[in-house]
Amino acid sequence: MTTTSSLIPTLPGRSYSDPDVFADEQAKIFESLWFCAVRGEDVPRPGAFRTVQVGRESVIVVRGRDHRLRAFLNVCRHRGARLCEEPAGEVRRTIRCAYHAWSYDLDGRLAAAPNLAKMPDIDRVAHGLIPVHLREWLGYAWVCLAAEPPSFEESVTGAATERLGDPAAIERYHVEELALGRRISYDVRANWKLVVENFMECYHCATIHPELVAVLPEFAGGYAAQYYVGHGAEFAERVEGFTVDGGPGFGKLPDVAREQDRRYYAITVKPQVFVNLVPDHVIVHRMFPLAVDRTLVECDWLYHPDVVASGADLTRSVELFHRVNEQDFDACERTQPGMSSRAYREGGVLVPSEHHIALFHQWVNQRLRG
């Protein structure tokens, strides 16, 4: 990105603090684009389900008897009661409404209801659950509430190609075959865009990430890996693995290329996913914006299945990015109150190493105008 000024403006403060702006984002961003909802292994058997908040809607992701994943709006078609109150669970045969006992097959079709036999004119498909578009990638179910979703290849998988410069680069990690080693949820009292912006830049890294900079010393210069297409930050010479103390990890994943070894790559998949690639594991962040000043972030550490099955101690591996997360989210929470200050009414500024964040701001504005 080229510019004639060292400092360029950010979004105005109200973009991060106004509930009306957030409602607009819910409709035009989170309810209109592909949203990474759940990891496939979280719904392992027929009847297993997860509920997830997508924009203003609750969505059920369920494993069918044919072992396919499907997604539906979490609303009974009879009188609008919420069907599944729990974040996760398992049903034997049908999804049953606790209000009037309308029941739905795992493919969404109306299966049973009191006195249904006396209403033979009811179309069980038309009065079934409202389906939500679903695609699987990297072992996760991605859903889209739009009637006509945007191209998954352009808006989701294309983000990895755009960042890494090579369609095959992310495929070599075989993320869909990895096993969940650890999951940590963070309740961040900050606007979702502050979390995205923080992840995209490293101007703050030398200040608040001593452990990360010790492993990836080039970050001390303030330029994030995402500033350059195809670039992965190189491990320090003395560092053996992507761990909190620089000690050994678990060995390179089998198909990671030689040029990808001992490097860290970061990908932002708008609007709510971060993918972090290191030689021996992958870290995936999923954001769930709940309010203008509150974002739930679920972070998964994924390893080769043999590592997880062996019961290996993941502590040093997980601790590095857990500390990074806590440091980042503390910074975001420190920033949130300033968004409603008169001092930030017109916004702030981006220094040259942050100029690429302006592209994210342009994308947000385009979505809201559209």
Side-chain angles (χ1 to χ4, degrees), residues 187-215:
D187 195 341
V188 186
R189 298 290 174 167
N191 183 269
W192 69 278
K193 295 187 296 299
L194 292 178
V195 180
V196 174
E197 293 164 12
N198 174 277
F199 183 73
M200 291 182 69
E201 56 93 357
C202 215
Y203 189 47
H204 68 278
C205 286
T207 306
I208 71 171
H209 295 321
E211 299 90 352
L212 183 64
V213 171
V215 174

Side-chain angles (χ1 to χ4, degrees), residues 201-359:
E201 56 93 357
C202 215
Y203 189 47
H204 68 278
C205 286
T207 306
I208 71 171
H209 295 321
E211 299 90 352
L212 183 64
V213 171
V215 174
L216 305 173
E218 69 180 68
F219 278 0
Y223 283 87
Q226 294 188 77
Y227 192 87
Y228 312 96
V229 173
H231 179 70
E234 191 171 5
F235 291 7
E237 185 175 350
R238 64 170 182 79
V239 164
E240 297 181 75
F242 196 74
T243 58
V244 71
D245 57 5
F250 298 102
K252 183 172 69 70
L253 293 168
D255 292 335
V256 169
R258 179 187 299 177
E259 61 270 20
Q260 293 172 301
D261 196 10
R262 295 184 56 78
R263 289 186 179 271
Y264 162 80
Y265 298 86
I267 304 166
T268 300
V269 184
K270 298 185 293 286
Q272 48 84 242
V273 174
F274 311 142
V275 182
N276 308 269
L277 306 169
V278 294
D280 67 329
H281 66 281
V282 173
I283 306 163
V284 178
H285 296 74
R286 287 170 291 142
M287 293 192 304
F288 301 88
L290 302 179
V292 69
D293 58 356
R294 184 183 175 207
T295 307
L296 181 68
V297 182
E298 193 161 86
C299 188
D300 291 347
W301 281 260
L302 308 170
Y303 298 85
H304 192 281
D306 291 348
V307 171
V308 176
S310 73
D313 184 0
L314 306 177
T315 304
R316 290 184 306 109
S317 179
V318 170
E319 182 64 20
L320 176 56
F321 229 89
H322 174 53
R323 290 191 193 181
V324 171
N325 286 338
E326 292 190 317
Q327 293 156 352
D328 279 339
F329 301 152
D330 177 72
C332 293
E333 291 181 340
R334 183 185 298 267
T335 302
Q336 182 64 39
M339 299 297 99
S340 54
S341 167
R342 67 185 68 184
Y344 211 77
R345 186 173 296 151
E346 302 303 319
V349 294
L350 301 171
V351 303
S353 63
E354 303 171 305
H355 281 181
H356 59 296
I357 295 175
L359 298 175

Side-chain angles (χ1 to χ4, degrees), residues 34 137-138 142 151-167 169-170 200 226 228-230 265-275 277 363:
W34 289 101
W137 186 56
L138 303 181
W142 302 65
S151 165
F152 191 84
E153 289 68 27
E154 292 179 10
S155 60
V156 178
T157 61
T161 300
E162 180 181 357
R163 163 67 187 92
L164 300 176
D166 175 9
I170 195 170
M200 291 182 69
Q226 294 188 77
Y228 312 96
V229 173
Y265 298 86
I267 304 166
T268 300
V269 184
K270 298 185 293 286
Q272 48 84 242
V273 174
F274 311 142
V275 182
L277 306 169
W363 177 84

